[in-house]
Amino acid sequence: MTNSTRAIDALSALGDPTRRSIFERVAAGPAAVGALAAGLTVSRPAVSQHLRVLKEAGLVTESAEGTRRIYRIDPRGVGAMRDWLDQHWDRALAAFSDFVDQQVEETP
Amino acid sequence: MTNSTRAIDALSALGDPTRRSIFERVAAGPAAVGALAAGLTVSRPAVSQHLRVLKEAGLVTESAEGTRRIYRIDPRGVGAMRDWLDQHWDRALAAFSDFVDQQVEETP
DNA sequence: CTCTTCCGTTAGTATTGACTTACTGTAAGT
DNA sequence: ACTTACAGTAAGTCAATACTAACGGAAGAG
């Protein structure tokens, strides 16, 4: 998978508010599925499904500890999003300053 | 609107694949609605609706030139997303290195 | 003034996907 | 072996939303 593809998946994954909550909780520290579901209004299977999407997007990793599955934040997806965003950040600044310059010329 | 709120809106907005396409085209350079729709498979009203969402998310700006509306990339939304992500980027690296250290200890 | 172009809005439809319930599986404790 | 705890899977429901078709409005050309 290319880095840009991962960035796309990560953006799609974080588009959902519930998944953002889950991701932010995982980002705060490693956690099991049950613990995550306890702090949310949705059921545990729902959390499990969201975690799978986040995992496929490269935003979290999974590791077993007995019957519990511990989820941790994954630098790959976060980094891919960061790279994708940095590209557009540069463009945004350039386009914006061009636009401002143009406005100044038209209204002296 | 707070900066974090704008980051949330921006993430939700870019969750849709069609909106990502539109956003990337606008990021490549200012464009009118018709020109954007011509390069996509969806109808012009659909593009118009997506642009409104992107505008409300602070990702693009609108300016009239006669009957045409020119859309440009907006640094505000892009910057808000960048800030939001940078927070988690730091956590991602820290959590990952902790995890690796722990794995090394357990399997010497 | 009329015609054309370009665009936003509205209403209605269709599709996506988020959620729950029920079930199955696995590991640890007794 | 039985029970308990924890989690993924499957199937079905329902709400959110992406999309099209039809309409209306503003600006420039003739």
Side-chain angles (χ1 to χ4, degrees):
Chain A
M1 187 185 294
T2 66
N3 214 31
S4 62
T5 304
R6 191 177 298 283
I8 301 305
D9 292 343
L11 282 169
S12 294
L14 292 179
D16 182 70
T18 305
R19 270 199 295 269
R20 267 199 305 273
S21 296
I22 296 174
F23 173 72
E24 293 190 337
R25 286 170 186 272
V26 172
V33 178
L36 291 170
L40 298 170
T41 59
V42 297
S43 67
R44 185 192 51 73
V47 175
S48 204
Q49 290 168 357
H50 283 306
L51 282 169
R52 180 164 61 148
V53 175
L54 290 173
K55 187 174 69 173
E56 288 175 351
L59 286 167
V60 301
T61 61
E62 176 194 338
S63 61
E65 286 189 9
T67 65
R68 316 205 317 182
R69 313 291 176 85
I70 307 299
Y71 284 88
R72 295 177 169 78
I73 194 170
D74 188 343
R76 294 179 306 165
V78 181
M81 273 188 66
R82 214 176 104 106
D83 293 343
W84 183 87
L85 209 57
D86 276 345
Q87 293 179 350
H88 294 88
W89 174 246
D90 294 338
R91 290 191 197 176
L93 287 185
F96 184 71
S97 61
D98 286 352
F99 182 58
V100 169
D101 292 346
Q102 180 184 344
Q103 292 297 98
V104 170
E105 289 176 7
E106 290 176 356
T107 62
Chain B
M1 187 185 293
T2 66
N3 213 32
S4 62
T5 303
R6 190 177 299 283
I8 301 304
D9 292 344
L11 282 168
S12 294
L14 291 179
D16 182 70
T18 305
R19 270 199 295 270
R20 267 199 306 273
S21 295
I22 296 175
F23 173 73
E24 292 193 335
R25 286 169 185 272
V26 172
V33 178
L36 292 170
L40 298 170
T41 60
V42 297
S43 67
R44 185 191 51 72
V47 175
S48 202
Q49 290 168 352
H50 283 306
L51 283 169
R52 181 165 59 148
V53 175
L54 290 173
K55 188 174 67 173
E56 290 174 351
L59 286 167
V60 302
T61 61
E62 177 192 336
S63 59
E65 285 189 9
T67 65
R68 315 205 319 181
R69 315 291 176 85
I70 307 299
Y71 286 88
R72 293 178 172 78
I73 193 170
D74 187 345
R76 295 179 304 166
V78 181
M81 278 186 64
R82 203 168 173 265
D83 293 343
W84 182 87
L85 204 59
D86 274 346
Q87 294 178 346
H88 296 89
W89 174 245
D90 295 337
R91 292 189 193 176
L93 287 184
F96 184 70
S97 61
D98 285 353
F99 181 59
V100 170
D101 292 346
Q102 179 184 346
Q103 292 296 99
V104 171
E105 288 176 7
E106 290 175 355
T107 60

